[in-house]
Amino acid sequence: MKRIMISIIFLSMSVSCVKKTQEANGNVFYVQTQKVMRKDLKEEIVLAGNIKGKDEAVIYPRVGGKLIKNLVKEGDFVKKDETISLIKKDEVGVVYEPAPVPSTLDGYVGRVYQDVGADVNQMTPIALVVDQSAVRVQADVPEKYLSDLKIGQDIYFKVDAYKDKIFRSKINKISPVVDKMTRTFAIESMVDNKDNLLKSGMTAEVHIILKEAQRALSVPISALVEKNGRYYVYIADRVNNTAIEKEIKIGLKNTDYVEVKNLAEGSEIITVGLYGIKNDSKIKVLND
């Protein structure tokens, strides 16, 4: 009997010790904090885009025969109606003057497709001519954003060739239809290219600005806790070392920060260590 009593007492003491340890450690949340600050925020979508010349034309011959001379090379500038290549028409017993293949627009020769001696017909591409005095930036946008976009809306984009340069423009075309396979609609922006930096065929990272807020009171996205469609943050009470739960109204947000409507500038909010935290939870701030 004594052994049983001793075992019961020892078990009770063990449970009590574990419970006290859990109470001592489990109710203290080790957290990191940041202060509410003002930031310029942009709500935007980022898309993969393509760059095309203002006008592009694949040039075809008007007659079939043998290509006897290319008068231009890639990178040359040609005027409309300037001869690109010469074609000798083959017909037994008849001698023809070489037939010119003229450009149909002013622009740079982007490609010469055929070598001298090639047999060509009216369906054979001879050259690509591109007018790059301005370029078109094209992108496909998910259909859920259709009501958010309008003609004249600001965009900016980057290309791999100039990683530190930002190009700015405005939307000038929005497709009236949604592609049933991709569930996207096309947009286009025309960009002046007087410095000839942008080339047809480049890819672009296109940013479409949906909304902007200047010097908005902001907190990191990581500080938000969502409950039943409502948003909360936890303010660090340094006097009592507790977390104070506060429901907030949010505005613009990007990938890192969100605008808050009812927090005071400089308030210290918890950004790390929120899992399981509640109102009045004991905290220890680690970023000190």
Side-chain angles (χ1 to χ4, degrees), residues 265-285:
E265 185 174 0
S267 298
E268 189 176 8
I269 56 159
I270 298 171
T271 57
V272 176
L274 288 165
Y275 182 76
I277 205 166
K278 297 178 181 178
N279 190 45
D280 288 332
S281 291
K282 291 292 183 181
I283 62 170
K284 180 174 179 59
V285 180

Side-chain angles (χ1 to χ4, degrees), residues 118-138:
D119 290 320
V120 301
N121 58 47
Q122 291 167 301
M123 299 297 291
T124 306
I126 301 298
L128 171 68
V129 178
V130 181
D131 178 0
Q132 293 186 156
S133 58
V135 296
R136 293 173 285 162
V137 182
Q138 301 172 329

Side-chain angles (χ1 to χ4, degrees), residues 88-248:
K88 183 180 178 181
K89 187 174 181 181
D90 290 330
E91 189 172 333
V92 178
V94 181
V95 177
Y96 291 97
E97 289 291 322
V101 181
S103 175
T104 57
L105 74 160
D106 295 350
Y108 288 93
V109 178
R111 289 286 303 274
V112 175
Y113 294 113
Q114 308 300 327
D115 294 327
V116 171
D119 290 320
V120 301
N121 58 47
Q122 291 167 301
M123 299 297 291
T124 306
I126 301 298
L128 171 68
V129 178
V130 181
D131 178 0
Q132 293 186 156
S133 58
V135 296
R136 293 173 285 162
V137 182
Q138 301 172 329
D140 293 325
V141 185
E143 64 175 312
K144 67 179 180 179
Y145 295 110
L146 185 58
S147 62
D148 294 321
L149 303 191
K150 62 182 183 298
I151 300 296
Q153 195 155 347
D154 289 331
I155 74 163
Y156 65 95
F157 63 96
K158 305 174 184 178
V159 296
D160 286 341
Y162 311 105
K163 296 184 182 296
D164 297 327
K165 187 171 180 61
I166 294 176
F167 299 86
R168 300 185 183 278
S169 186
K170 296 180 182 294
I171 296 174
N172 68 304
K173 285 184 182 179
I174 298 177
S175 174
V177 298
V178 173
D179 185 287
K180 65 181 180 181
M181 297 296 292
T182 63
R183 312 313 308 175
T184 60
F185 61 97
I187 64 160
E188 184 176 287
S189 176
M190 190 71 75
V191 184
D192 181 76
N193 193 35
K194 62 183 179 182
D195 295 330
N196 202 32
L197 296 178
L198 300 169
K199 311 296 184 183
S200 181
M202 281 182 165
T203 57
E205 180 184 284
V206 180
H207 297 246
I208 303 177
I209 300 170
L210 301 179
K211 298 175 184 176
E212 290 185 272
Q214 304 294 320
R215 290 184 51 75
L217 286 173
S218 308
V219 300
I221 290 286
S222 60
L224 291 187
V225 175
E226 184 179 0
K227 299 179 184 179
N228 301 318
R230 296 182 175 182
Y231 293 97
Y232 299 83
V233 296
Y234 288 86
I235 300 170
D237 179 353
R238 292 287 195 146
V239 175
N240 299 303
N241 292 320
T242 58
I244 301 173
E245 183 182 82
K246 181 173 178 62
E247 184 177 357
I248 60 167

